[in-house]
Amino acid sequence: MKRIRLWAPALLLMSPSLLALALFVYGFIGWNLRVSVTSWRGLLPKYDFVGLRNYAALMSDARFMQFDVPHIAIFTLVFVGGTLALGFCMALLLDKKLAGDALFRSVYLFPMSLSLIVTGIIWRWLLDNGNDASTTGLNKLLESAGLESLRSDWFRSDSAWAIAAIALPAGWSLSGYVMSLFLAGLRSVPEELREAARVDGANETRVFWHVIRPMLVPVLMSAIVILAHISLKTFDLFYAMDAKNIKIDTPALYMWFTTFDGGFYARGAAIATLLLLGVALVIVPYIAYTVREERRR
Amino acid sequence: MTRCSRPLLQCRIAALLSLALVAIACSKTSPPVEKEAAPAAAPAAAPAVEPKATQVEVFSWWTGPGEQEGLDAMIADFKTKNSGVEVINAAVSGGSGTNAKAILANRLQAGTPPDSYQRHAGLELADDIKAKKLEDLTSLYESKGWKTKLPKGLLDAITIDGKIYSVPVNIHRANLLWFLPKTLQSLGIGAPPATWKEFLTQAAAITKKHKTPLAIGPGWTQKHLLETVLLGELGAEQYTTLWKQPNEWQSPKVAAALDTFKKVLAFTDIKSSAPDWQPASDRVLDGAAVYFVMGDWLDAYWGRAKKLKFKTDYDVVETPGSSGVYDFLSDSFTLPVGAKHREAALKWLDECGSVTGQDLFNPQKGSVPARTDADASKYQGYLATALAAWQNPKTVIVGSLTHGVVANNAVGSEIDSALSLFVASGDAATFAKAVAKAYTVD
């Protein structure tokens, strides 16, 4: 009886969100899975069973396999790597406690306050690749600075890595957030520890490597997970930059267009399931890691 | 006692929250009909309380300049003819209905359709028909005598399995090549090209003078260009059979046409193409590009928004190889199964199909009326030439691919995918195979 009294109020308090979660998250994941094994196309829902046919078709779908999957892999790699590096450097600089660091902290965070649609529209112009008189944006800046040789076609480039250019706006938007994560991590390292190391004769590099770095690992892990799953899901940024340009096509965009333009609901659901698997690939090891860490404590 | 009170309070809050959630979950069945009773928008002249007062919800994507005024004019005319019927204008913005279509799909699936909704006439309606979401309007056509008022080519294109499901309000033309006479003059080009072969010769010369021969925009404008190249290279007859017999895609003539398309595309600014059709056409206006293939909605943009004069400032010809052919697309209205105000919706369709309705809407929108007995004096400038071509019985009418006439949604979106791969890789054979395969998916 006493034990029930302990956990019953907690359960009751949580029940609304548990219910909502069960219905709107897990319920819909289940529904989506169900749709992905049907042959539903068109307006009328059709709940037959065709096995893994939609998945098999995607495996031989040129747009999905030769463009979307490599694209999202490249984008995730460049975006996560670049944003982490940039965010970490900014955090290191701000940690030096120079004058006006509060101002810089906000300035670096500001881009995140813009929706990705706005970011996309701004950067579509910044990454314009017009020639001669119609040059604008970054190319124009490079030209004015006498760096024409650095001119790029950005995401319009012929290279298979063209989509990496979109990591610029994405990183611009999120590096401030990563910076604040790292800054919180850096500031949580007790000053006594650093001083103790210095007293023992460690130089700044060694203080960083042996004292600060190990304490930043949890921050790094969460930053990677947050960025990686954002990267896999991102839709609005690509949509705003150049909606149907195959050079920056990703599974999320293909899912939207095939479902709502063509009515291929089953195929869209199959892509959604694969995306979910992709996100799970990143998140499940992280959850396992944190659970293990917490048990250790 | 005090110890116990906090968990107790928590219990109560939690119970309340759960109840609220259940209440929300259960309350969604009550429809928002309160508005209907309130005569908020009723004109002052109408009787204060009319028992038969009803409304009609008209769903469209006409929110842009010109089209919105046209729709308003049609609604105003409808109200004077049917006093007491309130028109709910449920328009969703977004060019070509990109946003409206997703919302409409949800409403159709939920079984709460608007009383009448806009679709491109032709096979874009096929999904709705197959899902039994639309009423057959053939009897309406017969009672109103519309079958004799619309050209046969149009009737053929909008008849699906012997039945007609929508009322076309306007007609746009897709196979047009736009240019500025002064740019041609400065380049020493006597006349715009009459064939795609001639275009390629001109284009090679234009490139040498550091201008873009043909401006292009996003993916759908590339599809639009493909459709006009196919039309010009294959001719109207084979172009039309192409959409009925997918095997045609494997024919050598189509392969040659696709090869031409590839060559034409190489003379466009596709690598740094503009994000939409208006900025793409701006490149022609500022002289950076020479030609632009676009539908005649461009006339409203150049003529009205940019205040240029037709014939003197800008001019237009049929796309190469399509002289005498009218590659049309049309906005039409429908009667969904289960429309809440069916009677009023039928009256709305009557308005859409009437000469007055079409003559009110089209001059504003910048299109020509679907009916051939419309009042020609209302159409000036480019529209006068378009209407003359539309009303000319010798004109051959074919349907547009990009704008939903000859391909259903499934085929259309599969062609989108295949075309973007084709543009990226230049592999025409794979493209033809993918398009032929698209017909087998449904």
Side-chain angles (χ1 to χ4, degrees):
Chain A
M1 192 56 202
K2 212 175 177 186
R3 293 192 72 176
I4 290 179
R5 276 207 167 169
L6 269 177
W7 60 256
L11 183 71
L12 258 176
L13 259 180
M14 278 172 65
S15 63
S17 70
L18 275 182
L19 266 174
L21 205 66
L23 183 65
F24 292 111
V25 177
Y26 296 100
F28 281 104
I29 290 176
W31 189 10
N32 182 69
L33 271 172
R34 177 70 190 92
V35 173
S36 75
V37 292
T38 66
S39 64
W40 177 2
R41 204 215 66 74
L43 280 174
L44 273 194
K46 191 168 164 192
Y47 291 105
D48 53 350
F49 182 78
V50 298
L52 297 177
R53 199 179 76 188
N54 294 313
Y55 294 93
L58 277 177
M59 291 304 125
S60 58
D61 184 329
R63 177 170 174 185
F64 189 72
M65 291 309 287
Q66 289 164 30
F67 289 84
D68 296 355
V69 172
H71 280 171
I72 199 66
I74 290 170
F75 176 72
T76 304
L77 197 73
V78 177
F79 162 65
V80 174
T83 311
L84 280 179
L86 193 65
F88 182 68
C89 290
M90 293 194 304
L92 267 189
L93 291 177
L94 280 182
D95 193 42
K96 298 297 170 208
K97 302 201 177 77
L98 32 83
D101 71 333
L103 176 77
F104 283 109
R105 247 189 349 245
S106 328
V107 167
Y108 289 149
L109 257 178
F110 279 151
M112 209 181 134
S113 68
L114 294 181
S115 90
L116 282 178
I117 289 280
V118 178
T119 306
I121 288 170
I122 295 172
W123 280 83
R124 181 171 74 193
W125 174 76
L126 284 174
L127 298 182
D128 184 87
N129 71 337
N131 284 312
D132 308 328
S134 65
T135 308
T136 58
L138 289 191
N139 284 342
K140 180 88 183 167
L141 267 179
L142 291 173
E143 193 188 290
S144 324
L147 295 166
E148 282 99 339
S149 55
L150 289 179
R151 184 194 176 279
S152 165
D153 280 324
W154 307 114
F155 62 93
R156 293 293 191 57
S157 144
D158 288 328
S159 151
W161 282 64
I163 195 170
I166 309 290
L168 275 173
W172 177 76
S173 173
L174 279 156
S175 55
Y177 175 64
V178 172
M179 172 209 74
S180 59
L181 285 181
F182 276 121
L183 199 58
L186 284 170
R187 299 247 158 114
S188 73
V189 178
E191 196 55 41
E192 295 81 21
L193 279 185
R194 304 186 198 207
E195 269 166 17
R198 286 186 196 118
V199 169
D200 286 346
N203 61 21
E204 281 309 302
T205 333
R206 303 200 70 167
V207 169
F208 174 76
W209 191 253
H210 293 292
V211 179
I212 300 174
R213 185 192 53 96
M215 301 191 78
L216 286 181
V217 170
V219 176
L220 179 69
M221 286 293 285
S222 22
I224 289 178
V225 167
I226 291 168
L227 291 178
H229 93 270
I230 288 179
S231 156
L232 292 176
K233 289 192 308 193
T234 302
F235 169 86
D236 35 8
L237 183 62
F238 298 106
Y239 191 91
M241 297 282 297
D242 204 356
K244 284 189 175 174
N245 180 351
I246 191 80
K247 291 204 162 81
I248 58 167
D249 199 46
T250 64
L253 288 156
Y254 188 19
M255 172 181 77
W256 165 266
F257 287 121
T258 201
T259 308
F260 292 105
D261 282 3
F264 291 96
Y265 286 84
R267 185 195 291 162
I271 298 174
T273 309
L274 292 177
L275 263 179
L276 180 73
L277 279 180
V279 175
L281 226 60
V282 178
I283 297 214
V284 169
Y286 172 72
I287 294 175
Y289 164 84
T290 38
V291 167
R292 221 176 36 229
E293 284 291 291
E294 267 167 24
R295 261 200 210 129
R296 213 182 280 166
R297 266 170 217 161
Chain B
M1 200 53 213
T2 42
R3 259 190 175 180
C4 190
S5 72
R6 262 186 64 187
L8 212 70
L9 187 67
Q10 282 174 3
C11 275
R12 282 185 190 147
I13 294 173
L16 266 174
L17 281 174
S18 322
L19 266 176
L21 194 78
V22 172
I24 290 166
C26 296
S27 68
K28 74 163 201 175
T29 41
S30 71
V33 287
E34 288 83 30
K35 259 193 175 170
E36 202 169 348
V49 184
E50 210 194 37
K52 278 201 292 185
T54 181
Q55 62 180 32
V56 56
E57 186 187 6
V58 175
F59 186 97
S60 75
W61 57 81
W62 284 333
T63 57
E67 54 192 29
Q68 194 183 351
E69 284 87 347
L71 179 62
D72 287 346
M74 221 158 61
I75 289 175
D77 183 51
F78 175 82
K79 279 184 181 161
T80 55
K81 284 182 195 157
N82 306 280
S83 70
V85 182
E86 189 194 345
V87 180
I88 311 265
N89 179 5
V92 177
S93 66
S96 221
T98 39
N99 302 329
K101 283 173 189 168
I103 292 170
L104 187 59
N106 284 343
R107 290 191 60 175
L108 289 178
Q109 281 173 358
T112 53
D115 297 313
S116 183
Y117 62 84
Q118 177 189 7
R119 275 262 200 250
H120 286 136
L123 288 181
E124 199 176 286
L125 287 159
D127 272 353
D128 307 17
I129 296 165
K130 207 178 141 214
K132 300 200 168 48
K133 299 287 185 193
L134 285 183
E135 283 196 35
D136 173 15
L137 297 175
T138 317
S139 58
L140 182 71
Y141 270 70
E142 268 151 19
S143 71
K144 301 283 175 195
W146 288 342
K147 280 193 171 173
T148 57
K149 306 293 182 198
L150 300 174
K152 188 177 172 298
L154 173 64
L155 283 170
D156 286 348
I158 63 173
T159 303
I160 297 168
D161 295 330
K163 293 170 184 163
I164 303 179
Y165 293 88
S166 71
V167 180
V169 179
N170 66 343
I171 299 293
H172 275 300
R173 190 176 195 177
N175 59 322
L176 294 171
L177 185 71
W178 303 82
F179 58 92
L180 306 186
K182 67 171 186 213
T183 310
L184 292 198
Q185 242 167 32
S186 73
L187 289 167
I189 297 172
T195 63
W196 283 108
K197 207 176 152 205
E198 199 185 318
F199 170 82
L200 292 174
T201 325
Q202 280 191 13
I206 294 168
T207 313
K208 284 200 189 104
K209 295 186 177 167
H210 301 290
K211 281 189 189 293
T212 308
L214 189 66
I216 196 119
W220 68 267
T221 64
Q222 297 157 24
K223 197 176 173 188
H224 192 122
L225 177 65
L226 170 74
E227 132 181 10
T228 56
V229 172
L230 285 173
L231 178 62
E233 292 290 279
L234 301 176
E237 202 175 320
Q238 205 186 348
Y239 171 86
T240 306
T241 47
L242 198 55
W243 312 112
K244 293 179 178 151
Q245 292 163 14
N247 290 340
E248 281 289 298
W249 279 95
Q250 313 279 11
S251 77
K253 222 177 155 192
V254 170
L258 289 178
D259 193 50
T260 307
F261 172 69
K262 225 166 77 181
K263 285 180 191 151
V264 170
L265 209 58
F267 282 117
T268 65
D269 52 358
I270 190 161
K271 189 143 186 217
S272 52
S273 60
D276 211 341
W277 63 272
Q278 295 99 329
S281 80
D282 289 347
R283 294 184 184 178
V284 176
L285 291 186
D286 63 28
V290 179
Y291 295 112
F292 187 41
V293 169
M294 191 37 55
D296 56 9
W297 42 93
L298 183 66
D299 178 65
Y301 179 59
W302 279 4
R304 223 176 298 169
K306 295 280 178 182
K307 302 208 171 9
L308 298 175
K309 277 221 165 58
F310 181 60
K311 284 288 171 194
T312 45
D313 292 337
Y314 67 96
D315 205 350
V316 65
V317 289
E318 288 139 327
T319 49
S322 71
S323 134
V325 181
Y326 210 108
D327 179 15
F328 89 96
L329 58 126
S330 162
D331 294 303
S332 66
F333 279 90
T334 56
L335 181 61
V337 171
K340 278 198 211 81
H341 311 93
R342 191 172 178 277
E343 285 310 305
L346 279 169
K347 283 180 189 151
W348 170 253
L349 293 178
D350 190 19
E351 173 73 25
C352 295
S354 69
V355 176
T356 14
Q358 298 202 350
D359 276 346
L360 279 170
F361 177 77
N362 285 297
Q364 298 275 357
K365 161 88 172 156
S367 46
V368 301
R371 293 176 71 121
T372 47
D373 57 350
D375 179 2
S377 70
K378 290 200 161 73
Y379 300 86
Q380 305 296 329
Y382 160 77
L383 287 182
T385 60
L387 189 63
W390 180 251
Q391 292 181 336
N392 183 353
K394 281 186 194 147
T395 299
V396 180
I397 295 174
V398 301
S400 162
L401 158 72
T402 316
H403 307 281
V405 184
V406 291
N408 66 30
N409 296 339
V411 172
S413 92
E414 292 294 82
I415 292 180
D416 283 349
S417 277
L419 180 62
S420 60
L421 298 179
F422 175 32
V423 169
S425 70
D427 184 349
T430 308
F431 173 70
K433 227 183 345 191
V435 177
K437 192 180 158 229
Y439 283 85
T440 62
V441 294
D442 202 37

